[in-house]
Amino acid sequence: MMLVTLQEASEHLRRDTDADDADLELKIRAASGAVARYIGSSSPYELDDNGNPVLESDNPVVLFEVRAAVLLLVGELYKNREGEQEGEIPPQWGYGYLPRSVVSLLYPLRHPSMA
């Protein structure tokens, strides 16, 4: 699943090459999956009054907050390709958590799964 296009991600990153498109597409898919898992059973798409996804050119329209969150996470994955981060990570935002900016966009949409 890709909640943003390769072109949208390229523009967000201000890239001027397509040499690493395959790597960027992998990061888009990973970020899209992480965002979808975070919001749980909520739909990442705009829904009509009947609960059906709104379509544009036969594709479901992704919520603005979801698109922004995916782009922020793609940027983080692209910038820190080796998974390293400078400085100490505070315990409340340790490994395994999404960046604060991503969470702030997605939290109102979240319907976590029950274990």
Side-chain angles (χ1 to χ4, degrees), residues 3 27 29-40 65-66 68-74 76-77 85 89-107 110:
L3 295 173
K27 288 169 176 37
R29 290 182 186 278
S32 296
V35 164
R37 281 188 299 282
Y38 182 82
I39 62 175
E65 299 91 332
V66 171
V70 170
L71 290 172
L72 287 169
L73 191 51
V74 165
E76 182 67 28
L77 294 171
Q85 185 171 349
I89 298 174
Q92 71 269 28
W93 306 109
Y95 294 105
Y97 292 96
L98 295 173
R100 287 184 202 185
S101 55
V102 173
V103 170
S104 68
L105 289 166
L106 298 176
Y107 193 80
R110 190 165 194 234

Side-chain angles (χ1 to χ4, degrees), residues 29-89:
R29 290 182 186 278
S32 296
V35 164
R37 281 188 299 282
Y38 182 82
I39 62 175
S41 62
S42 290
S43 174
Y45 306 111
E46 288 187 30
L47 302 176
D48 64 18
D49 293 337
N50 297 320
N52 299 313
V54 174
L55 299 178
E56 184 176 281
S57 302
D58 294 328
N59 294 315
V61 177
V62 178
L63 292 165
F64 290 114
E65 299 91 332
V66 171
R67 287 179 44 213
V70 170
L71 290 172
L72 287 169
L73 191 51
V74 165
E76 182 67 28
L77 294 171
Y78 194 81
K79 176 183 169 192
N80 298 308
R81 292 173 187 235
E82 302 303 321
E84 295 179 13
Q85 185 171 349
E86 292 183 19
E88 187 175 326
I89 298 174

Side-chain angles (χ1 to χ4, degrees), residues 2-19:
M2 289 180 41
L3 295 173
V4 299
T5 66
L6 185 61
Q7 181 178 345
E8 287 173 313
S10 289
E11 290 171 2
H12 174 74
L13 297 170
R14 311 281 195 275
R15 289 187 333 145
D16 57 2
T17 181
D18 61 359

